[in-house]
């Protein structure tokens, strides 16, 4: 479908507002699931590793299913997908309030809510990109802060709702709030598309329709012939009985010749249709082969290979604090009276600050975005190593703020991907990297929880997390040192860096 020219304003700013609130409403609870995690531990009495799967699935399944989400939005449009996904998120949250065990939550909260969030994220980004061209980076930056603001507010909101109405009441109210996504989705008016479809699509769609029409015509001819034959024979048999058999034989010979011609035409059409299907299948197979060849070419790039390892290890080690930090404070015997603000709320607000500041730094020509990203990885690893030594609310709050700020490196990750593979391969490469990021999100919290179940303390778990992030950072640094100039030279034919950054952030 060919869309009209992006207006870069007008109704586009309404799209920005509703997309912001959509991400706020759908990601608020999954990102602040650490508050619910404590209640589920007490309610079901399962291990920390098994319980952590609920939050990790809710945050990772959307990234893992990103190819499916993209296909859905491309096929049905952003507005229908947003409305349908609003029902998924709200329904999943409300169903979770009736969960009899942890396995029910895997489906209701982990898969249903997680997949709904993934669909909504793809829908909001897609509709925003359609409405903006010159100000696309600003628009995407504004809507991306919706999830971080949601984390900040929902952490305190869910804690207050649990105290007032209990865990079940909290999930019901949060699910009811998510129904506002339906109102936001209804305002995602698509741009007008051109009336003429692409020639290739016309050719593909036309052949089955022709065959269907031919099949109907063939059926009509046979029915008419049978009716005429029956009427003619009946009339002859009434008027002249001796001629009945002779006329019947003559008519059968004529009709058999007609049927032979029709069968030959039918066979010809079947052969044509079969050849068309073979050509279509061959072309699709060539597209799949081309996709896998391009994927292998990407992994021949040392920096890209190190980048995919780094993002996987970063999400395995860096994501658990946002889910488990509240339980870390409880394990350190910190009194609730010392709480001035939930630790997850601190992570959320500092993530917003980190996205903005790191994004601004990436726009400076003298800043190498790859080295900036590596620096955030190494600092994250050091902060994770420091968590076992934090025994007070103040130190945990400081570490939560630092980790939240460094997690804002998501805003510069598309820039790094662009500098590594070039703009032409950005979509392909970014999809692969997001899949591994979702895999890391899904595996990180359960691994940390299993470490606690094994050792009955979080120290070893966060040492492991810090080691994973530091390993990914050092691997990326080693791969970048000899190859960064080569990658820059390969992409020297591209537009200037500022233009490359703008395009990368739009992916």
């Amino acid at each position: 479908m060919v869309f009209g020219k992006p207006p870069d304003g007008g109704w586009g700013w309404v799209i920005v507002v509703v997309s912001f609130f959509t991400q706020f409403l759908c990601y608020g609870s999954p990102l602040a699931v650490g508050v619910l995690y404590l209640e589920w531990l007490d309610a079901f009495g399962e291990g920390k590793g098994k319980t952590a799967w609920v939050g990790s699935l809710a945050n990772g399944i959307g990234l893992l299913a990103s190819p499916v989400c993209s296909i859905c939005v491309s096929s049905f449009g952003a507005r229908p997908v947003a409305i349908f996904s609003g029902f998924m998120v709200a329904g999943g949250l409300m169903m979770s309030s009736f969960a009899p065990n942890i396995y029910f939550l895997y489906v209701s909260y982990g898969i249903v809510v997680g997949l709904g969030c993934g669909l909504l994220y793809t829908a909001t980004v897609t509709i925003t990109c359609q409405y903006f061209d010159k100000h696309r980076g600003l628009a995407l930056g504004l809507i991306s802060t919706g999830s971080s603001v949601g984390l900040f507010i929902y952490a305190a909101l869910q804690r207050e709702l649990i105290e007032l109405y209990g865990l079940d009441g909290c999930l019901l109210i949060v699910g009811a709030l998510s129904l506002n996504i339906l109102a936001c989705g209804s305002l995602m008016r698509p741009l007008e598309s051109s009336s003429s479809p692409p020639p290739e699509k016309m050719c593909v769609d036309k052949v089955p329709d022709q065959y269907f029409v031919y099949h109907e015509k063939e059926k009509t001819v046979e029915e008419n012939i049978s009716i005429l034959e029956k009427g003619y024979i009946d009339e002859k048999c009434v008027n002249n009985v001796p001629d009945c058999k002779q006329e019947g034989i003559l008519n059968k010979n004529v009709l058999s010749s007609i049927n032979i011609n029709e069968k030959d035409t039918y066979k010809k059409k079947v052969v044509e249709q079969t050849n068309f299907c073979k050509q279509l299948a061959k072309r699709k197979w060539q597209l799949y082969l081309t996709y896998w060849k391009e994927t292998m070419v990407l992994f021949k790039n040392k920096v890209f290979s190190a980048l995919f390892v780094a993002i996987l290890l970063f999400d395995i080690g860096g994501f658990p604090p946002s889910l488990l930090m509240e339980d870390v404070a409880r394990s350190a015997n910190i009194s609730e009276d010392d709480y001035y603000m939930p630790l997850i709320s601190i992570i959320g607000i500092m993530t917003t600050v980190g996205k903005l500041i790191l994004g601004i730094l990436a726009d400076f020509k003298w800043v190498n975005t790859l080295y900036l990203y590596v620096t955030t990885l190494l600092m994250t690893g050091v902060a994770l190593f420091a968590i076992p030594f934090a025994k007070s609310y103040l130190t945990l709050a400081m570490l939560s703020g630092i980790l939240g700020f460094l997690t804002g490196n998501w805003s510069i990750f598309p820039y790094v991907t662009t500098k590594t593979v070039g703009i032409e391969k950005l979509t392909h490469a970014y999809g692969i990297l997001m899949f591994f990021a979702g895999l890391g999100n899904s595996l990180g919290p359960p691994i940390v929880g299993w470490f606690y179940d094994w050792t009955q303390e979080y120290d070893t778990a966060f040492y492991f997390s810090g080691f994973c992030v530091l390993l990914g950072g050092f691997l990326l640094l080693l791969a970048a040192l000899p190859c960064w100039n080569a990658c820059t030279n390969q992409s020297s034919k591209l537009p200037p860096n500022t233009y490359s950054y703008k395009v990368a952030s739009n992916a």
Side-chain angles (χ1 to χ4, degrees):
M1 182 177 291
V2 180
F3 293 96
K5 184 179 178 181
D8 276 303
W11 192 260
W13 294 116
V14 177
I15 297 295
V16 170
V17 174
V18 297
S19 297
F20 172 88
F21 281 105
T22 297
Q23 293 200 16
F24 171 85
L25 292 167
C26 73
Y27 276 105
S29 181
L31 289 178
V33 73
V35 177
L36 304 176
Y37 171 76
L38 298 177
E39 302 300 323
W40 288 329
L41 283 174
D42 298 334
F44 301 115
E46 300 287 353
K48 295 182 186 293
K50 186 182 291 188
T51 308
W53 270 110
V54 181
S56 62
L57 284 174
N59 287 278
I61 200 73
L63 292 174
L64 289 173
S66 55
V68 177
C69 298
S70 299
I71 292 173
C72 291
V73 175
S74 299
S75 302
F76 304 105
R79 176 191 278 175
V81 170
I83 295 174
F84 174 77
S85 303
F87 281 112
M88 286 186 65
V89 173
L93 289 169
M94 292 180 180
M95 284 168 39
S96 299
S97 65
F98 303 101
N101 51 55
I102 200 70
Y103 303 103
F104 188 91
L105 286 173
Y106 289 164
V107 178
S108 63
Y109 198 98
I111 296 178
V112 176
V113 176
L115 186 58
C117 291
L119 287 168
L120 286 169
Y121 176 81
T122 305
T124 54
V125 171
T126 301
I127 192 70
T128 303
C129 290
Q130 291 173 3
Y131 269 86
F132 287 90
D133 184 17
K134 295 180 181 179
H135 305 295
R136 188 178 294 172
L138 174 62
L140 289 174
L142 290 174
I143 69 171
S144 67
T145 59
S147 58
S148 300
V149 176
L151 169 59
F152 172 71
I153 294 178
Y154 268 74
L157 176 64
Q158 290 185 146
R159 171 174 287 190
E160 190 68 24
L161 290 175
I162 289 173
E163 292 180 358
L164 294 175
Y165 305 105
L167 177 61
D168 298 344
C170 171
L171 289 171
L172 284 174
I173 294 173
V174 171
L177 288 175
S178 299
L179 289 173
N180 289 286
I181 296 173
L182 306 181
C184 295
S186 64
L187 294 175
M188 294 181 183
R189 185 175 63 197
L191 283 176
E192 294 182 359
S193 58
S194 60
S195 58
S196 59
E200 183 178 355
K201 186 174 181 181
M202 291 176 60
C203 180
V204 173
D205 294 341
K206 189 176 180 181
V207 174
D209 293 340
Q210 287 179 343
Y211 175 72
F212 180 75
V213 172
Y214 167 78
H215 185 71
E216 292 296 327
K217 288 181 180 178
E218 181 184 15
K219 182 178 179 182
T220 304
V221 170
E222 290 179 354
E223 289 178 350
N224 292 335
I225 291 174
S226 63
I227 293 171
L228 290 174
E229 177 187 2
K230 183 178 179 181
Y232 181 76
I233 293 175
D234 291 343
E235 184 180 357
K236 285 290 184 180
C237 289
V238 171
N239 296 332
N240 190 0
V241 176
D243 295 337
C244 178
K245 294 182 180 179
Q246 189 175 9
E247 291 293 336
I249 295 172
L250 179 62
N251 287 327
K252 287 182 179 179
N253 292 332
V254 174
L255 292 173
S256 62
S257 63
I258 294 174
N259 289 333
I260 290 173
N261 292 332
E262 289 293 330
K263 289 180 179 178
D264 291 340
T265 306
Y266 173 75
K267 290 180 179 179
K268 184 178 179 181
K269 291 290 184 180
V270 170
V271 171
E272 291 177 355
Q273 184 68 11
T274 304
N275 290 333
F276 170 77
C277 293
K278 288 181 179 179
Q279 293 296 328
L280 184 61
K282 184 178 180 180
R283 187 168 58 185
K284 293 294 184 182
W285 179 250
Q286 291 295 331
L287 291 175
Y288 292 139
L289 289 179
T290 303
Y291 176 84
W292 287 111
K293 288 179 181 178
E294 291 178 354
T295 302
M296 296 305 296
V297 170
L298 286 175
F299 279 99
K300 289 181 180 179
N301 185 331
K302 294 180 180 179
V303 179
F304 178 81
S305 299
L307 192 61
F308 113 83
V309 174
I311 190 65
L312 176 63
L313 294 176
F314 171 74
D315 280 279
I316 289 177
F319 177 67
S322 63
L323 175 62
L324 304 173
M325 191 60 78
E326 297 293 330
D327 192 48
V328 171
R330 187 169 70 171
S331 301
N333 297 321
I334 297 176
S335 175
E336 294 185 359
D337 297 334
D338 298 333
Y339 270 64
Y340 301 100
M341 182 184 297
L343 297 175
I344 299 179
S345 295
I346 297 175
I347 293 176
I349 196 64
M350 290 305 296
T351 300
T352 305
V353 176
K355 286 180 179 179
L356 295 175
I357 293 180
L358 292 175
I360 293 172
L361 288 176
D363 282 334
F364 289 108
K365 294 182 179 180
W366 51 269
V367 174
N368 189 312
T369 52
L370 180 61
Y371 292 148
L372 178 62
Y373 184 75
V374 170
T375 302
T376 61
L377 295 183
L378 297 179
M379 293 178 65
T380 300
V382 174
L384 289 171
F385 271 115
I387 289 179
F389 301 98
K391 301 300 180 181
S392 65
Y393 172 82
L394 181 60
T395 53
L396 282 176
M398 293 176 60
L399 289 174
S400 298
I402 293 172
L403 289 171
F405 179 86
L406 296 173
T407 305
N409 61 7
W410 277 98
S411 63
I412 63 173
F413 189 72
Y415 290 28
V416 177
T417 308
T418 301
K419 293 293 291 183
T420 303
V421 301
I423 297 175
E424 294 83 0
K425 299 179 181 179
L426 174 62
T427 304
H428 187 184
Y430 198 72
I432 295 173
L433 294 173
M434 287 302 98
F435 176 84
F436 285 104
L439 185 63
N441 277 345
S442 301
L443 295 177
I447 291 175
V448 173
W450 290 331
F451 268 107
Y452 183 92
D453 294 336
W454 179 36
T455 62
Q456 295 302 311
E457 43 86 17
Y458 275 115
D459 295 356
T460 306
F462 282 104
Y463 290 149
F464 170 78
S465 298
F467 173 77
C468 287
V469 178
L470 285 176
L471 178 62
F474 279 119
L475 288 177
L476 183 58
L477 179 62
L478 292 176
L481 287 176
C483 301
W484 181 248
N485 292 331
C487 294
T488 304
N489 293 334
Q490 290 177 1
S491 61
S492 59
K493 296 181 181 180
L494 299 174
N497 290 338
T498 53
Y499 177 77
S500 299
Y501 290 159
K502 181 180 180 182
V503 174
S505 63
N506 299 339

